[in-house]
Amino acid sequence: MSAQIDHLVVAARTLHEGVAWCEATLGVTPGPGGAHPLMGTHNRLISIATAAFAQAYLEVIAIDPTKHPTRAGGLHRWFDLDDTALQADLAQHGPRLIHFVARVPDAAAALHALAAGPVPVDRGPLIEASRDTAAGRLDWKISVRDDGQRLFYGALPTVIEWGSVHPADTMPPSGVTLSALRAAHPRPEVLQAAHAALELAQVQVLPGAPNLMAELHTPRGPITLESKGI
């Protein structure tokens, strides 16, 4: 059931601001993404894959103001995007790294392992989602809590199980690559136990104030993106 880093999540107040951030910060324009009718969000994507982080990509995501989620009323969007404090921070400081998603071969088994771990974690139920792309239809199962919370300030990954097609399969190299992902938390032993339940070995867990740190090589040189507890 070994989990792998699938993608980094950079939230933006608007997708336009997210694209501008990507160009100014990483030195590249993100490629096409798509819309998520279930959540009322849309995104743009860039590959950050290397041999060590196969199929990894970076997602710039924002609420689509022209769409209403088709998800049942009262259920929140993924990645805390309905959180007023997060949206206020994005409005004041601009887009930032908030989370990451881990790819697993069996998402139901991964959620069971988290719930049965030494410190049980409710990662939320699996939902089925899809979107159409120029290369075909993408289908996936993903864990989303009813309250939309990321947990551990974004340092515990959302779990995803892709169908037969992965979005990175058709992404060209972007010039940006992931070299390391680190997660700091005041209770690192609890976070480490949750990562171990997923057999996730690609993220270094450290003691300290909540933070998610992604080290990237970019056309602008080495850059570290941080969540800083958001």
Side-chain angles (χ1 to χ4, degrees):
M1 192 193 62
S2 180
Q4 305 289 320
I5 294 171
D6 190 71
H7 64 276
L8 306 182
V9 179
V10 172
R13 188 176 65 91
T14 70
L15 197 55
H16 175 76
E17 291 180 3
V19 171
W21 168 90
C22 195
E23 292 171 340
T25 304
L26 305 181
V28 299
T29 300
H36 315 109
L38 188 65
M39 296 291 169
T41 57
H42 51 179
N43 66 8
R44 297 280 293 270
L45 311 173
I46 65 168
S47 172
I48 56 172
T50 66
F53 300 104
Q55 296 183 305
Y57 65 96
L58 183 146
E59 169 186 43
V60 178
I61 190 168
I63 291 173
D64 185 343
T66 68
K67 305 294 183 183
H68 292 287
T70 60
R71 201 175 189 211
L75 302 184
H76 290 229
R77 291 177 174 90
W78 44 28
F79 310 147
D80 275 321
L81 290 178
D82 286 317
D83 183 76
T84 55
L86 173 61
Q87 287 297 329
D89 183 84
L90 297 176
Q92 182 176 1
H93 301 292
R96 68 163 62 188
L97 175 69
I98 63 163
H99 194 36
F100 75 107
V101 176
R103 179 175 65 251
V104 295
D106 187 334
L111 296 185
H112 176 76
L114 282 172
V119 181
V121 176
D122 177 8
R123 200 67 195 83
L126 281 179
I127 63 173
E128 295 187 2
S130 64
R131 67 177 177 88
D132 294 319
T133 74
R137 188 175 183 85
L138 292 174
D139 297 285
W140 66 95
K141 298 176 183 177
I142 189 168
S143 62
V144 183
R145 289 169 56 98
D146 290 350
D147 58 15
Q149 289 186 14
R150 295 163 291 156
L151 302 180
F152 290 87
Y153 296 90
L156 179 66
T158 288
V159 172
I160 194 167
E161 177 188 338
W162 288 100
S164 59
V165 179
H166 190 277
D169 293 342
T170 56
M171 287 183 202
S174 67
V176 179
T177 55
L178 177 65
S179 57
L181 183 63
R182 293 176 286 132
H185 193 271
R187 300 178 64 195
E189 70 285 353
V190 178
L191 179 59
Q192 184 63 63
H195 281 202
L198 295 174
E199 299 179 14
L200 176 63
Q202 294 178 313
V203 182
Q204 182 184 10
V205 176
L206 305 169
N211 199 6
L212 190 62
M213 298 153 280
E215 297 178 6
L216 301 170
H217 291 293
T218 80
R220 298 188 180 279
I223 289 175
T224 298
L225 304 180
E226 299 187 60
S227 64
K228 297 181 179 177
I230 291 301

